[in-house]
Amino acid sequence: MGELPQGAKRVFEGVIFDVHQWDQKMYDGTTEVFERISRGDTVEAIVVTKEGKLLIQRQQQPDREEWFLSSVGGRVDEGEDPFDAMKRELKEETGYTSDDVELISTYRPSSKLMWDIYTYVARGCVKTHKQDLDAGEKIDVMEVDLDEFIELIDSGKLERFASPVREMCIRAKYHEPSKEKLRKQIFG
């Protein structure tokens, strides 16, 4: 789903996004130009401390004046494995590390966009380093419990979680068996 067909050409190369075009034969025999956008994959993490709290971020970036709440995560570097990218982002953005990391979701938002979002749970996280933020990041790390996490997702205040995580949290808020399933998935 969503891969480039043979003969596709890159017509625009950006810093983050590229645009590809190709001639697509239609059902009536005519040909139309089709496009697909590509960008590097990203990772996000549900971070659980050794004490059982969930870590979220209050952050600001240069292209947004207001602070916002988000998941731990970021771009997968060229040639980097998503698992390694998640562990790197966790350490850089929070100073925490984990030996218990599990992939819970891979999500592609659209078939017209070549971009996968890998969501992990990092359990038993402990603070082992100082934050090592990029020049374009201001991040405060915050602890919340599961109910606060679910409420922040449901209210839309906690940004940057892919749809599968949002759906799990919204179901958990209104359906106790779904909440228990989510609790097991997050805490193990």
Side-chain angles (χ1 to χ4, degrees):
M1 174 180 100
E3 300 306 317
L4 289 175
Q6 197 163 7
K9 293 181 175 65
R10 183 171 46 208
V11 295
F12 173 78
E13 182 176 359
V15 175
I16 296 176
F17 295 98
D18 294 342
V19 178
H20 306 269
Q21 292 181 341
W22 65 94
D23 291 329
Q24 180 68 50
K25 189 171 183 174
M26 305 307 288
Y27 296 122
D28 67 359
T30 61
T31 302
E32 299 284 337
V33 175
F34 273 40
E35 293 182 329
R36 189 158 293 140
I37 298 170
S38 64
R39 64 155 292 161
D41 294 337
T42 54
V43 294
E44 60 186 21
I46 299 172
V47 180
V48 184
T49 67
K50 191 175 176 182
E51 297 76 28
K53 290 292 191 175
L54 301 174
L55 298 183
I56 62 171
Q57 300 176 343
R58 180 178 167 269
Q59 81 169 273
Q60 186 180 34
Q61 294 189 353
D63 62 339
R64 294 179 69 168
E65 285 187 33
E66 73 281 354
W67 287 78
F68 59 96
L69 299 179
S70 74
S71 64
V72 172
R75 289 188 223 160
V76 178
D77 291 337
E78 184 75 31
E80 186 178 31
D81 180 77
F83 178 83
D84 295 331
M86 193 287 306
K87 290 190 87 158
R88 175 183 51 75
E89 290 288 347
L90 174 63
K91 184 177 168 184
E92 288 175 358
E93 292 185 350
T94 68
Y96 283 74
T97 57
S98 172
D99 292 325
D100 182 4
V101 177
E102 177 185 356
L103 177 67
I104 62 166
S105 172
T106 302
Y107 176 68
R108 182 167 287 183
S110 168
S111 64
K112 296 289 185 183
L113 176 59
M114 293 175 26
W115 169 39
D116 290 329
I117 304 168
Y118 297 87
T119 304
Y120 293 87
V121 174
R123 299 180 192 94
C125 294
V126 292
K127 179 94 170 165
T128 57
H129 296 80
K130 293 172 79 171
Q131 284 179 303
D132 184 18
L133 302 177
D134 294 339
E137 294 175 320
K138 289 182 180 178
I139 296 175
D140 295 329
V141 178
M142 302 169 53
E143 290 184 350
V144 296
D145 64 27
L146 181 59
D147 288 332
E148 291 170 306
F149 180 78
I150 291 169
E151 183 58 37
L152 287 168
I153 292 235
D154 184 44
S155 69
K157 293 177 184 173
L158 180 54
E159 300 179 12
R160 300 174 105 186
F161 266 109
S163 289
V165 174
R166 290 189 170 287
E167 291 165 9
M168 287 187 291
C169 288
I170 292 167
R171 274 195 298 277
K173 181 175 179 179
Y174 299 101
H175 184 247
E176 193 60 37
S178 294
K179 186 173 185 178
E180 283 310 307
K181 182 178 177 183
L182 179 65
R183 184 184 314 280
K184 284 182 183 176
Q185 190 164 33
I186 291 175
F187 296 103

